[in-house]
């Protein structure tokens, strides 16, 4: 009876989950072993061109992506959210401006900025300032600006336009929330105190945050590279010529594309630069809109702050980002290519 009882009460073993990193390693091994076959398959001009674009986008963006996730992990582990709270002014308008500038000093990717903003709210920071930081951190930090300069060599005005457009988007959204935002739109759990991730061990928090961000952002980088390669091969050049000739249409299409592609801010400049037929203004709109709102950020906002918040915040952010990008881009870059 004891044996039967022991068997009946025995707990089943937890099944080991295969991680995305293991899948990536397996794919790399398969690619190495089957490289001769892949060489024969890719011996087609269109596929060769697409493969070249894909590799170029990924290789150029990967160092900045790695640097970005390392900085993001260091911030999560070694920079407590209370640090920002201490330096933020009490006046809401001034706090919004300082929070926007803090995005320059405390960089992070889009995914990492959402829990940081939640931690700030949980420690008593005004939601307007926390949301300003959420929008500024992934868009105006030095890693993103350097990546933009590398992607657009000889175009310093593009770097300046991206900084000003993204900073203006963050500040305007913060001021709009301070004026018309309703705290009831944010779920109560987002305003409750969130434990500091460093409490479980700073180096462990650093490693886990960096690994998670790298795997997630790396996946979006690969997806963006594949889509960029596909656009260069499958979409007729005449379509891009039409977008280049119709500036308003190009701006609208690139704004929607930024939402759908959901690229990491450390890598999106290289994808935009690969679309050579488009003028700089639609590319700027792509670079300003993407870090502010896209499909993955909408899901993160809904899961963290609630659906009522996300349904209101997303469309307003999209409209403000497009307007700020155009307002900054027209005098700085105009219709240049």
């Amino acid at each position: 009876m004891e044996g039967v009882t022991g068997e009946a009460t025995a707990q089943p073993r937890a099944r080991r989950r295969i991680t995305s990193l293991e899948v990536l390693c397996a794919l790399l091994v398969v690619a190495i072993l089957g490289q001769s076959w892949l060489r024969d398959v890719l011996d087609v001009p269109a596929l060769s061109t697409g493969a070249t674009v894909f590799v170029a986008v990924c290789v150029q963006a990967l160092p900045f992506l790695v640097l970005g996730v390392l900085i993001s992990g260091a911030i999560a582990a070694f920079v407590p959210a209370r640090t920002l709270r201490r330096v933020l002014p009490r006046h809401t308008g001034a706090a919004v401006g300082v929070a926007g500038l803090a995005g320059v000093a405390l960089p992070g990717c889009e995914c990492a900025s959402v829990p940081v903003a939640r931690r700030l709210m949980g420690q008593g920071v005004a939601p307007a300032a926390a949301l300003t930081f959420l929008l500024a951190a992934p868009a105006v930090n030095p890693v993103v600006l350097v990546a933009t300069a590398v992607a657009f060599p000889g175009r310093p005005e593009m770097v300046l336009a991206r900084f000003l457009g993204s900073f203006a988007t963050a500040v305007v959204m913060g001021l709009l929330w301070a004026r018309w935002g309703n705290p009831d739109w944010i779920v109560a759990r987002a305003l409750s105190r969130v434990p500091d991730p460093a409490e479980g061990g700073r180096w462990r928090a650093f490693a886990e945050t960096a690994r998670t961000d790298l795997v997630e952002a790396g996946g979006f980088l690969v997806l963006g590279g594949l889509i960029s390669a596909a656009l260069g091969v499958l979409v007729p050049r005449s379509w891009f010529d039409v977008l280049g000739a119709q500036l308003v249409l190009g701006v609208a299409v690139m704004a929607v594309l930024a939402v759908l592609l959901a690229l990491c801010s450390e890598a999106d400049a290289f994808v935009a630069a690969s679309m050579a037929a488009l003028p700089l203004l639609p590319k700027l709109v792509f670079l300003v809109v993407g870090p502010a709102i896209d499909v993955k950020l909408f899901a993160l906002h809904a899961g963290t702050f609630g659906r009522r918040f996300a349904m209101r915040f997303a469309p307003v952010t999209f409209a403000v980002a497009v307007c700020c990008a155009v307002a900054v881009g027209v005098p700085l870059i105009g219709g240049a290519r």
Side-chain angles (χ1 to χ4, degrees):
M1 291 294 293
E2 292 181 1
V4 174
T5 305
E7 292 178 1
T9 58
Q11 296 294 329
R13 287 186 176 181
R15 298 182 61 183
R16 183 178 180 277
R17 296 179 60 184
I18 299 176
T19 65
S20 56
L21 185 60
E22 292 172 338
V23 173
L24 177 61
C25 292
L27 291 175
L28 290 175
V29 171
V30 171
I32 293 172
L33 295 177
Q35 56 182 328
S36 59
W37 176 79
L38 289 174
R39 191 182 301 111
D40 295 335
V41 171
L42 293 176
D43 192 18
V44 177
L47 290 178
S48 298
T49 302
T52 301
V53 173
F54 170 75
V55 171
V57 169
C58 292
V59 169
Q60 282 184 303
L62 190 58
F64 298 98
L65 182 60
V66 172
L67 178 59
V69 299
L70 289 177
I71 294 175
S72 176
I75 290 170
F78 303 109
V79 181
R82 61 180 176 271
T83 302
L84 267 181
R85 184 183 176 185
R86 292 173 181 172
V87 302
L88 287 176
R90 293 182 178 273
H91 187 271
T92 302
V96 165
V98 172
L101 292 175
V104 179
L106 299 176
C109 70
E110 300 93 322
C111 301
S113 64
V114 175
V116 171
R118 182 189 173 189
R119 287 201 300 273
L120 292 173
M121 292 183 188
Q123 292 194 358
V125 173
L131 295 176
T132 301
F133 179 81
L134 180 149
L135 294 172
V140 300
N141 67 73
V143 177
V144 170
L145 297 179
V146 171
T148 306
V150 174
F152 294 90
R155 291 286 187 178
E157 68 275 15
M158 192 68 176
V159 181
L160 178 61
R162 180 174 193 177
F163 172 82
L164 294 177
S166 297
F167 181 78
T169 299
V171 171
V172 169
M173 286 301 301
L175 294 176
L176 288 177
W177 178 269
R179 178 64 179 85
W180 288 289
N182 188 343
D184 293 337
W185 295 342
I186 302 176
V187 294
R189 67 176 183 274
L191 300 176
S192 60
R193 183 183 180 276
V194 181
D196 193 326
E199 292 175 359
R202 294 184 181 276
W203 286 107
R204 182 177 179 181
F206 168 76
E208 288 297 320
T209 302
R211 183 187 63 82
T212 302
D213 288 349
L214 180 61
V215 171
E216 292 181 354
F220 288 113
L221 170 60
V222 171
L223 177 62
L226 289 173
I227 295 176
S228 178
L231 290 175
V233 172
L234 301 178
V235 178
R237 184 175 179 82
S238 58
W239 291 18
F240 287 104
D241 293 337
V242 171
L243 293 179
Q246 302 291 331
L247 201 57
V248 175
L249 180 61
V251 166
V253 170
M254 291 299 285
V256 174
L257 199 60
V259 175
L260 297 179
L261 288 185
L263 297 177
C264 178
S265 59
E266 284 92 355
D268 56 2
F270 298 95
V271 176
S274 67
M275 302 177 186
L278 290 177
L280 291 180
L281 184 59
K283 294 178 183 179
L284 176 64
V285 172
F286 180 86
L287 298 179
V288 172
V289 171
I293 185 65
D294 56 35
V295 289
K296 75 174 185 300
L297 284 174
F298 178 82
L300 285 171
H301 293 165
T304 304
F305 303 113
R307 189 181 304 174
R308 294 178 64 192
F309 169 85
M311 292 295 293
R312 292 166 172 80
F313 189 74
V316 177
T317 302
F318 178 83
V320 169
V322 173
C323 292
C324 289
V326 172
V328 169
V330 168
L332 285 179
I333 59 180
R337 294 181 180 271

